[in-house]
Amino acid sequence: MTDRPRLTRRTWIIVAVAVVVVLGGAGAGFGVWRSQQEQKPVTQPAVADPVAISVPDAPRKLTVGVLITLSAQPGQGSEWKSAADGARVAARRLAMGGVQVELKTVDDKGTTKGAEQAVKELADEGASGAVVATSGSHVKGAVEAAQQAGLPLVMPYESDPELAGDLAWATGPTDPTVGQALATALTAAKLEHPLVIDAGSGVPDGVKATRTLSFTPGDDTASLIKQARKLADKSTIDTVLVSGPATAQATLVQALQGGNITVPLYLTPDATSPAFTSALVEAQGSLSTSFNSVGANFDDPAALQADAAGRAMSSFLSAVRSTAADEDQKNLTGDQPFSSVAQVADSRSHDAVIALVRAAASAKSADAVKISDAMENLKLGYDDGLAGPGLDFSRPAALDPDAVHLLRSSRQDLGFRPTDENADPRLVWFADPSAK
């Protein structure tokens, strides 16, 4: 049994219509999908798979480390610290299925040395593997320490392909995949003259910028926005692509909105983190704009699909709700109830924990070295408990590049998560069906 909220058919019709309205004018090709939906309206979420995840061959007790960054320089992973609480949801679902997973959370402080020390600490405490729920150049310290300790790492948010491989697997899109997906999305929308505002991540691979402007956090945005407006007014550019850490992107988005620059806006995937929304709200920017990014189908709207992906996401969201309803459940750092992070607990960190436990089952062992060996032959899908797309760990970048496509944002509350009056408004990210 799931604890899915009982919404009426009329409520779901309203939600589906609102979703279409929000996305309707966002870009080229979307009208085709809208027409299809009018023929086959989605009026309710997919029926959830069981919330409990049973892994019969797994050890009954496992210790899994979770590296997070509580505070750091922009671009060093602190934007994912709340999203990482999806790992807590995975542990609860596995416990319901008979596998007790103890999560050991370590703050790597956003530094190479801190990441190295965090992994050594986890190895010394007998962890079977670790989820690197952070990103940035400092992750190199974690990877090098893991190689020395023989500890397998799963990295749901790190996109540097050079950090993956030899006991470290990336389960999100890597930089080349992100760049290619952005280039494909721009081409599909017939946007041939992008202005790239580089806020620290460079011009994405494969994107041919007509113009590039640089921005460093702390810089005054007035001059930059003036240049961007002039380029837009002269039709020199037909879109703006912002590349950089989540908080820097939020600063620039607010400035672009205030500058009344109305060309389509594309963002690199850091914008899918909770920190982007929080920073944009704090800067008094608008969430009503439809933003474009790229990524896999990892967010709540997947639950509206009448397929395996929809059932899997519905099950994950049921687990989020039940975990939030349990007053004994805490967040990863143990200083707040889980309910305080239930709005942003992420399927990507959830799936990273599931992968490590499935590898332990394949190895029939809690030993980190045996689990590392088993990971190399591991292929997982929705039937294995994943909430997001399938993963193939025979390659360092486990996510299929074909699973990465255009995403569009909406502030529409789909009603799948517990409400929190104190939480910031939340953006959700829809996979654009016309881009598949």
Side-chain angles (χ1 to χ4, degrees):
M1 293 289 292
T2 69
D3 58 345
R4 187 179 55 208
R6 297 182 178 179
L7 301 180
T8 66
R9 179 180 177 86
R10 181 176 180 273
T11 300
W12 280 115
I13 292 173
I14 292 171
V15 168
V17 171
V19 167
V20 174
V21 169
V22 167
L23 297 180
F30 203 68
V32 174
W33 178 79
R34 186 172 181 177
S35 173
Q36 293 172 346
Q37 296 306 299
E38 288 171 353
Q39 297 172 20
K40 298 180 180 181
V42 177
T43 59
Q44 60 183 11
V47 176
D49 289 333
V51 172
I53 296 176
S54 177
V55 188
D57 292 331
R60 295 301 91 188
K61 292 185 178 180
L62 285 168
T63 298
V64 172
V66 183
L67 270 68
I68 61 173
T69 304
L70 293 179
S71 180
Q73 294 295 318
Q76 293 302 326
S78 62
E79 61 263 37
W80 303 110
K81 61 187 176 186
S82 296
D85 274 281
R88 180 66 68 196
V89 180
R92 180 177 173 85
R93 297 182 70 187
L94 289 160
M96 293 170 67
V99 178
Q100 299 297 322
V101 177
E102 180 183 3
L103 298 177
K104 286 192 174 294
T105 306
V106 185
D107 175 15
D108 68 10
K109 300 178 175 61
T111 67
T112 302
K113 184 176 181 180
E116 179 182 351
Q117 291 175 338
V119 168
K120 287 181 178 179
E121 178 182 332
L122 291 170
D124 290 343
E125 294 184 3
S128 298
V131 177
V132 180
T134 182
S135 62
S137 59
H138 80 282
V139 170
K140 181 178 180 181
V143 172
E144 291 178 348
Q147 291 168 349
Q148 293 177 4
L151 189 74
L153 302 181
V154 180
M155 306 184 296
Y157 307 118
E158 177 52 55
S159 60
D160 184 351
E162 294 185 3
L163 293 177
D166 193 9
L167 302 187
W169 288 267
T171 55
T174 59
D175 291 335
T177 301
V178 167
Q180 185 56 56
L182 283 168
T184 298
L186 292 172
T187 299
K190 299 181 180 179
L191 298 170
E192 300 176 349
H193 302 290
L195 164 64
V196 175
I197 303 180
D198 177 10
S201 298
V203 178
D205 296 344
V207 174
K208 296 180 180 179
T210 296
R211 290 289 300 273
T212 302
L213 298 175
S214 297
F215 174 78
T216 300
D219 286 354
D220 181 16
T221 59
S223 175
L224 184 147
I225 296 304
K226 184 178 180 180
Q227 294 179 68
R229 187 190 302 113
K230 184 181 294 185
L231 292 169
D233 289 346
K234 292 182 177 180
S235 298
T236 303
I237 60 168
D238 53 16
T239 186
V240 174
L241 167 60
V242 182
S243 172
T247 53
Q249 288 198 55
T251 297
L252 288 165
V253 166
Q254 187 276 333
L256 289 163
Q257 290 173 336
N260 196 30
I261 298 173
T262 58
V263 296
L265 183 58
Y266 286 72
L267 308 172
T268 49
D270 274 39
T272 66
S273 70
F276 171 78
T277 307
S278 296
L280 187 56
V281 169
E282 184 176 349
Q284 298 184 332
S286 172
L287 299 180
S288 297
T289 304
S290 181
F291 306 120
N292 304 287
S293 189
V294 294
N297 197 9
F298 69 89
D299 209 358
D300 298 10
L304 293 171
Q305 298 175 202
D307 56 13
R311 294 192 299 273
M313 185 57 68
S314 290
S315 183
F316 167 73
L317 293 169
S318 292
V320 170
R321 294 191 297 274
S322 67
T323 306
D326 185 344
E327 295 180 356
D328 293 331
Q329 291 290 324
K330 302 296 184 181
N331 66 346
L332 284 173
T333 52
D335 59 344
Q336 298 181 67
F338 176 82
S339 58
S340 68
V341 295
Q343 279 287 319
V344 293
D346 189 86
S347 68
R348 291 168 285 189
S349 55
H350 167 279
D351 287 358
V353 173
I354 299 301
L356 287 167
V357 174
R358 286 290 179 183
S362 181
K364 294 182 172 60
S365 173
D367 180 74
V369 174
K370 293 181 180 179
I371 291 173
S372 297
D373 291 340
M375 289 281 288
E376 296 178 356
N377 299 309
L378 195 66
K379 294 182 180 180
L380 301 177
Y382 299 120
D383 290 343
D384 300 299
L386 296 188
L391 300 169
D392 181 355
F393 290 90
S394 67
R395 54 198 182 209
L399 180 67
D400 186 346
D402 289 341
V404 180
H405 40 65
L406 180 64
L407 302 176
R408 301 191 192 277
S409 73
S410 170
R411 64 172 300 171
Q412 176 69 38
D413 182 4
L414 300 181
F416 295 153
R417 293 178 185 254
T419 57
D420 183 351
E421 295 180 356
N422 298 318
D424 288 332
R426 180 175 182 267
L427 286 177
V428 294
W429 293 87
F430 291 77
D432 182 355
S434 69
K436 292 182 179 180

